[in-house]
Amino acid sequence: MIEIILGTILLIREIYQMTYLPSVHDNLYGGLVDFMKYKENTYSLIYLWSILLITGIFSMKNAKLNWILHQILIILISIITLVPMVFMIIQGQVIAVILGLFLIGLILLEIRLYQSDLREKLKIININKLTSIILGLFSALIYWIIEIKLG
């Protein structure tokens, strides 16, 4: 239920920003304001919040589907945050190292939960695990394609 509420709020916010923010191609500010958020920056976040909303909606249908969709969402968020963090660590930013260790801790926690009794109770088989990993990596790839091509 939290995924539905949070996904709806964040999706509405991004759609609102997409309709009111200027485009990179508008040339309203002559390129002087690089830190401003543009319409093109919202596309990848709209995709992410849509995945969150879909996870919330379909998680009420089936416990096994709920587990798979949460795995996909966790893989997506992990990859989205891990890639920029690697570049920040390469540049020597200290906060990235701290955030990287925190993210690695979350990933290790997820691996531990992945092997938990919940998997046995829901009768998650290897094909379900493989499906969630492939779909999670595929959704992360879609996110980065949107981010690079449209952002």
Side-chain angles (χ1 to χ4, degrees):
M1 188 67 176
I2 284 181
E3 292 99 351
I4 295 173
I5 295 169
L6 190 61
T8 304
I9 291 169
L10 293 170
L11 189 60
I12 289 171
R13 179 179 171 265
E14 288 302 321
I15 291 173
Y16 174 79
Q17 287 184 352
M18 186 182 76
T19 56
Y20 287 103
L21 285 175
S23 175
V24 173
H25 308 292
D26 287 344
N27 291 327
L28 292 175
Y29 304 104
L32 296 175
V33 187
D34 288 336
F35 59 87
M36 185 172 166
K37 185 173 180 182
Y38 291 101
K39 181 183 292 192
E40 287 79 8
N41 300 112
T42 61
Y43 297 137
S44 55
L45 290 175
I46 286 175
Y47 174 73
L48 178 64
W49 304 142
S50 298
I51 296 289
L52 179 66
L53 184 61
I54 289 169
T55 300
I57 290 171
F58 285 110
S59 67
M60 298 186 325
K61 299 282 183 190
N62 184 346
K64 190 181 284 189
L65 185 62
N66 179 12
W67 186 86
I68 292 172
L69 287 171
H70 277 95
Q71 299 307 312
I72 292 169
L73 188 63
I74 288 169
I75 290 170
L76 175 63
I77 291 172
S78 297
I79 291 175
I80 287 171
T81 55
L82 194 60
V83 170
M85 212 170 296
V86 168
F87 289 114
M88 290 171 67
I89 290 172
I90 291 171
Q91 294 174 352
Q93 295 181 4
V94 177
I95 189 70
V97 174
I98 295 169
L99 291 174
L101 291 173
F102 178 72
L103 183 64
I104 289 171
L106 286 177
I107 291 171
L108 291 175
L109 177 65
E110 175 58 25
I111 290 171
R112 180 71 179 145
L113 291 174
Y114 204 75
Q115 300 169 349
S116 71
D117 295 335
L118 178 65
R119 196 180 77 228
E120 293 171 7
K121 186 173 21 171
L122 294 176
K123 297 182 176 118
I124 302 294
I125 57 176
N126 287 337
I127 193 73
N128 299 120
K129 291 186 230 176
L130 186 61
T131 302
S132 67
I133 291 170
I134 289 172
L135 289 176
L137 293 174
F138 184 70
S139 64
L141 179 68
I142 290 173
Y143 176 87
W144 284 112
I145 289 172
I146 292 171
E147 182 71 24
I148 292 170
K149 292 287 183 183
L150 298 176

